[in-house]
Amino acid sequence: MDLEARASDQDREATVSRLQQAFTDGRLAADEMEQRVERALTAVSHGDLAALVADLPERPGEVVTVTTKAGKILRTGQWRVPRTLRIESVYGNPHLDLSEAVIEHAEVTFDLNLKYGSAEILLPPGATADTNGVHCEWGSVVSDVPGAPRPGMPHVRVIGEVGYGKVRVRYRGARRRRWFTRGGGS
């Protein structure tokens, strides 16, 4: 995360929510929570927000890691989306369908570390995804959705390393593009 980047309203709201949860958990006194919330609402950069929660531990379930060598990674239906989902796979092909998922965070991160697999991410209508953080060695990244966050809509950041596969982000129900181009003879 670029700490110098300007914070959005969504970023500020996510930090306020985390501070309120820390108060509920007994990690912050009421006056300290109020002071931090006030600073969060007027924060200018990601660095300003990060400083407000730097001493707070990650909550259980905020970071989930799924590891498989060659197994199928499938998330569909009403599954709970963690703040960060790390997927580490050698030959797996993750399929993450968020169209009916329970998304409690304004922004979620999918950290993909795929050696030979390809990932497909299906979003609910209106959601957005930033795929600029994905590095592909021999594959490609295709996003058919807007990359900039929209107020009140889920935003997915896709980051990580993909060796010999592809990453595709689209809305559920949108027509699939072909992953390859057929060669023609004369």
Side-chain angles (χ1 to χ4, degrees):
M1 177 186 307
D2 180 4
L3 297 179
E4 300 294 318
R6 294 187 72 81
S8 68
D9 287 339
Q10 217 170 21
D11 297 327
R12 286 185 276 278
E13 289 170 15
T15 300
V16 167
S17 177
R18 188 157 173 210
L19 292 168
Q20 290 170 333
Q21 187 61 52
F23 170 72
T24 302
D25 292 345
R27 297 183 189 282
L28 294 175
D31 60 334
E32 185 178 10
M33 192 252 330
E34 289 175 14
Q35 290 170 1
R36 289 188 190 199
V37 165
E38 186 176 321
R39 288 176 38 208
L41 293 173
T42 59
V44 175
S45 70
H46 284 273
D48 296 338
L49 294 173
L52 297 172
V53 295
D55 62 340
L56 300 175
E58 291 284 333
R59 289 185 41 81
E62 286 192 349
V63 178
V64 173
T65 302
V66 177
T67 305
T68 181
K69 188 166 188 165
K72 189 170 191 170
I73 300 168
L74 179 65
R75 298 290 184 270
T76 61
Q78 294 183 346
W79 64 288
R80 186 172 306 280
V81 181
R83 184 179 302 277
T84 300
L85 177 62
R86 288 189 184 115
I87 298 179
E88 299 171 0
S89 177
V90 178
Y91 296 103
N93 293 301
H95 177 84
L96 308 172
D97 184 345
L98 280 71
S99 61
E100 297 176 21
V102 177
I103 306 171
E104 297 171 336
H105 310 286
E107 178 178 293
V108 296
T109 300
F110 292 157
D111 184 357
L112 306 175
N113 293 290
L114 310 175
K115 183 102 173 158
Y116 295 102
S118 293
E120 182 171 44
I121 302 169
L122 303 178
L123 300 181
T128 56
D130 177 359
T131 58
N132 291 334
V134 179
H135 176 260
C136 283
E137 192 71 27
W138 294 98
S140 62
V141 178
V142 176
S143 180
D144 296 332
V145 303
R150 293 179 178 162
M153 300 304 295
H155 181 67
V156 178
R157 277 187 339 113
V158 185
I159 62 173
E161 300 284 330
V162 178
Y164 296 93
K166 297 173 179 75
V167 175
R168 171 83 192 280
V169 181
R170 65 182 176 90
Y171 292 121
R172 183 168 193 210
R175 288 191 57 154
R176 291 181 134 183
R177 288 188 198 166
R178 294 195 183 272
W179 288 92
F180 60 91
T181 304
R182 291 184 187 188
S186 358

